[in-house]
Amino acid sequence: MLSKEDQRRFDQITRQLRESDPAFFARLDHRVRARRGRYLMLLTIVLWASLPAMTVFAGRLAGAICAVVLVANAAIMWRFRRRWT
């Protein structure tokens, strides 16, 4: 945790760096998006793996809810696929 003064100074340094080297920040932003895509892919794998167990142990309603979440997840991944590659 930074003190308020340190945080203010850090923000000032990052703002100056962003203005002076936008290509550097673009590369960092790409890494963040790629990491987000990996987390979404991991969520997809976990949900697909747990779908049969949820259906058996928690009932058809839980399985149907999980399936709807998976369809929404697939739609999000398809929509933003260019950002995470």
Side-chain angles (χ1 to χ4, degrees):
M1 199 78 191
L2 296 175
S3 69
K4 289 190 185 274
E5 178 62 28
D6 291 338
Q7 184 65 43
R8 186 190 63 77
R9 182 70 180 137
F10 177 74
D11 291 339
Q12 182 182 15
I13 291 169
T14 55
R15 187 173 39 254
Q16 289 173 351
L17 185 58
R18 183 179 299 122
E19 292 168 359
S20 66
D21 194 0
F24 174 74
F25 267 85
R27 285 193 311 267
L28 288 180
D29 188 46
H30 177 71
R31 289 180 184 169
V32 169
R33 281 189 248 144
R35 187 176 314 129
R36 191 176 308 141
R38 285 191 296 267
Y39 287 143
L40 194 54
M41 182 59 75
L42 179 64
L43 174 66
T44 304
I45 292 168
V46 168
L47 285 174
W48 275 112
S50 66
L51 179 62
M54 284 184 67
T55 303
V56 169
F57 294 118
R60 290 184 184 203
L61 179 62
I65 291 170
C66 187
V68 168
V69 169
L70 279 167
V71 168
N73 185 343
I76 290 170
M77 288 186 73
W78 181 260
R79 169 70 175 91
F80 297 109
R81 67 190 179 278
R82 300 270 184 224
R83 291 185 183 181
W84 297 325
T85 56

